[in-house]
Amino acid sequence: AQSVTQPDIHITVSEGASLELRCNYSYGATPYLFWYVQSPGQGLQLLLKYFSGDTLVQGIKGFEAEFKRSQSSFNLRKPSVHWSDAAEYFCAVGARNTGFQKLVFGTGTRLLVSP
Amino acid sequence: EAGVTQFPSHSVIEKGQTVTLRCDPISGHDNLYWYRRVMGKEIKFLLHFVKESKQDESGMPNNRFLAERTGGTYSTLKVQPAELEDSGVYFCASTPGQGGLGSGNTIYFGEGSWLTVV
């Protein structure tokens, strides 16, 4: 069965510093990978997705993620964090055994941004 | 164009009561999904509708949960009777057309319905 691990429950980053959120997945073939963000009081917003092709994926709000098959990872990065980036971030994999009709999520990483 | 809308946004009910959550998907989206996140855990799939038909309800936790999508438009998720462990955020999502995620479809999520059972 597919699974996603986000090893960091909380991360605190200073405003303007770089950010990397970790995501590891377990899946037997090339996965479909996603990063979602949930800001306080908001729904889940898609930041970026990887289906195939270039392993470095650009998303919205200045985020990018890199698919590394050898490490089963899909880490999210941002070169300079803004206070408005404080939110909870979820990595997810598309479950192939359902025809990619559902997502399996990690437990999320809460990002705190300090002044 | 309106996004996925959910109602109510917050609900506090007593154990044993009934709650009905509603989801209006993006207009024209045939696929509708329910997910939920209980406190501190991951977001988990509950079920998937294609139009009015249940395509996959493997994530429904037990028979206290009933989902419907009459007419293939909006959907309701009823919890009856509610238990303390049902507290969490219930997300609805939708995608257009055929093929699911493998066809490049993006899943659009609503803002969630926060349910607290006391």
Coordinates of all heavy atoms in Angstrom, one line a residue, chain B residues 12 14 23-24 26 29-31 34 40 42-43 45-46 51 53 70 72 74 88 90-91 95 101 106-107 116:
Chain B
V12 N -20.7 22.2 16.3 CA -20.4 21.5 17.6 C -21.7 20.8 18.0 O -22.8 21.4 18.1 CB -20.1 22.6 18.7 CG1 -19.8 21.8 20.0 CG2 -18.8 23.4 18.3
E14 N -23.5 17.3 20.4 CA -23.3 16.4 21.5 C -23.2 14.9 21.0 O -23.8 14.6 19.9 CB -24.4 16.5 22.5 CG -24.4 17.8 23.2 CD -25.5 17.9 24.3 OE1 -26.3 17.0 24.3 OE2 -25.5 18.9 25.0
C23 N -21.7 19.4 0.7 CA -20.7 19.8 -0.3 C -21.3 20.1 -1.6 O -22.0 19.3 -2.2 CB -19.6 18.7 -0.4 SG -18.4 19.0 -1.7
D24 N -20.9 21.3 -2.1 CA -21.3 21.6 -3.5 C -20.0 21.7 -4.3 O -19.1 22.6 -4.1 CB -22.0 23.0 -3.6 CG -23.4 22.9 -3.0 OD1 -23.6 22.9 -1.8 OD2 -24.3 22.9 -3.9
I26 N -17.5 22.0 -7.7 CA -17.4 22.9 -8.8 C -18.4 22.5 -9.9 O -18.4 21.3 -10.2 CB -16.0 23.0 -9.3 CG1 -15.1 23.7 -8.3 CG2 -15.9 23.8 -10.7 CD1 -13.6 23.7 -8.6
H29 N -18.3 19.3 -12.4 CA -17.3 18.2 -12.0 C -18.1 16.9 -11.6 O -18.9 16.9 -10.7 CB -16.5 18.7 -10.7 CG -15.4 19.6 -11.1 ND1 -14.4 19.9 -10.2 CD2 -15.2 20.3 -12.2 CE1 -13.6 20.7 -10.8 NE2 -14.0 21.0 -12.0
D30 N -17.8 15.9 -12.3 CA -18.4 14.6 -12.1 C -17.9 13.9 -10.9 O -18.6 13.1 -10.2 CB -18.3 13.7 -13.3 CG -19.1 14.1 -14.5 OD1 -20.0 14.9 -14.4 OD2 -18.7 13.7 -15.6
N31 N -16.6 14.1 -10.6 CA -16.0 13.4 -9.5 C -16.1 14.2 -8.2 O -15.7 15.4 -8.2 CB -14.5 13.1 -9.8 CG -14.4 12.2 -11.0 OD1 -14.6 11.0 -10.9 ND2 -14.0 12.7 -12.1
W34 N -14.9 12.8 -0.6 CA -14.8 13.2 0.8 C -13.6 12.7 1.5 O -13.2 11.5 1.3 CB -16.1 12.7 1.6 CG -17.3 13.4 1.3 CD1 -18.3 13.0 0.5 CD2 -17.8 14.6 2.0 NE1 -19.4 13.9 0.5 CE2 -19.1 14.9 1.4 CE3 -17.3 15.4 2.9 CZ2 -19.8 16.0 1.8 CZ3 -18.0 16.5 3.3 CH2 -19.3 16.8 2.7
G40 N -4.5 15.7 14.7 CA -3.1 15.2 14.7 C -2.8 14.0 13.8 O -1.7 13.6 13.7
E42 N -3.3 12.1 9.8 CA -3.2 12.4 8.4 C -4.6 12.6 7.8 O -5.6 12.1 8.4 CB -2.5 11.4 7.5 CG -3.1 10.0 7.4 CD -2.8 9.1 8.5 OE1 -2.5 9.6 9.6 OE2 -2.8 7.9 8.3
I43 N -4.7 13.3 6.7 CA -6.0 13.4 5.9 C -6.2 12.1 5.3 O -5.4 11.6 4.5 CB -5.9 14.5 4.9 CG1 -5.5 15.9 5.6 CG2 -7.2 14.7 4.1 CD1 -5.1 17.0 4.6
F45 N -8.8 9.5 3.0 CA -9.9 9.3 2.0 C -11.1 8.6 2.6 O -10.9 7.6 3.4 CB -9.4 8.5 0.8 CG -10.4 8.0 -0.2 CD1 -10.8 8.8 -1.2 CD2 -10.9 6.7 0.0 CE1 -11.8 8.4 -2.1 CE2 -11.8 6.3 -0.9 CZ -12.3 7.1 -2.0
L46 N -12.3 9.1 2.3 CA -13.5 8.4 2.8 C -14.2 7.8 1.6 O -14.4 6.5 1.7 CB -14.4 9.4 3.5 CG -14.0 10.1 4.8 CD1 -15.0 11.0 5.3 CD2 -13.6 9.0 5.8
K51 N -20.5 11.1 -10.6 CA -21.9 11.6 -10.7 C -22.6 11.1 -9.4 O -22.2 11.4 -8.3 CB -22.5 11.1 -12.0 CG -21.8 11.7 -13.2 CD -22.5 11.3 -14.5 CE -21.7 11.9 -15.7 NZ -22.3 11.5 -17.0
S53 N -23.1 8.0 -8.5 CA -22.7 6.6 -8.1 C -21.5 6.6 -7.2 O -20.5 7.3 -7.4 CB -22.4 5.8 -9.3 OG -23.6 5.7 -10.2
T70 N -27.4 12.8 -4.6 CA -28.6 12.6 -5.4 C -28.5 13.6 -6.6 O -28.3 14.8 -6.4 CB -29.9 13.0 -4.5 OG1 -29.9 12.2 -3.4 CG2 -31.1 12.8 -5.3
G72 N -26.4 13.7 -8.8 CA -25.1 14.0 -9.2 C -24.6 15.4 -9.1 O -23.6 15.7 -9.7
Y74 N -24.8 18.2 -5.7 CA -24.2 18.3 -4.3 C -24.2 17.0 -3.6 O -25.0 16.0 -4.0 CB -24.9 19.4 -3.5 CG -26.3 19.0 -3.1 CD1 -26.5 18.4 -1.9 CD2 -27.4 19.3 -3.9 CE1 -27.8 18.0 -1.4 CE2 -28.7 18.9 -3.5 CZ -28.9 18.3 -2.3 OH -30.1 17.9 -1.9
G88 N -13.2 16.3 13.9 CA -12.1 16.5 13.0 C -12.6 17.5 11.9 O -13.6 18.1 12.0
Y90 N -13.7 17.7 7.9 CA -14.2 16.9 6.8 C -14.0 17.8 5.5 O -14.6 18.9 5.4 CB -15.6 16.5 7.0 CG -15.7 15.5 8.1 CD1 -15.7 15.9 9.4 CD2 -15.9 14.2 7.8 CE1 -15.7 15.0 10.5 CE2 -16.0 13.2 8.8 CZ -15.9 13.6 10.1 OH -16.0 12.7 11.1
F91 N -13.2 17.3 4.6 CA -13.0 18.0 3.4 C -13.7 17.3 2.2 O -13.8 16.1 2.1 CB -11.5 18.0 3.0 CG -10.6 18.7 3.9 CD1 -9.8 18.1 4.9 CD2 -10.5 20.1 3.8 CE1 -9.0 18.8 5.7 CE2 -9.7 20.9 4.6 CZ -8.9 20.2 5.6
T95 N -13.2 16.9 -9.0 CA -12.4 17.0 -10.3 C -13.3 16.8 -11.5 O -14.4 16.2 -11.3 CB -11.3 15.9 -10.4 OG1 -11.9 14.6 -10.4 CG2 -10.4 15.9 -9.2
L101 N -6.8 11.3 -11.5 CA -5.6 12.1 -11.4 C -4.6 11.8 -12.5 O -3.8 12.6 -12.9 CB -4.9 11.8 -10.1 CG -5.8 12.1 -8.8 CD1 -5.0 11.7 -7.6 CD2 -6.2 13.5 -8.8
T106 N -6.6 18.0 -11.6 CA -6.3 18.5 -10.3 C -7.5 18.3 -9.4 O -8.6 18.6 -9.8 CB -5.9 20.0 -10.4 OG1 -4.7 20.2 -11.1 CG2 -5.7 20.6 -9.0
I107 N -7.2 17.9 -8.2 CA -8.3 17.8 -7.2 C -8.4 19.2 -6.5 O -7.5 19.8 -6.0 CB -8.0 16.8 -6.1 CG1 -8.0 15.4 -6.8 CG2 -9.0 16.8 -5.0 CD1 -7.8 14.3 -5.8
T116 N -17.0 19.2 15.8 CA -16.5 18.9 17.2 C -17.7 18.2 17.9 O -18.8 18.7 17.9 CB -16.2 20.2 18.0 OG1 -15.2 20.9 17.3 CG2 -15.7 19.8 19.4

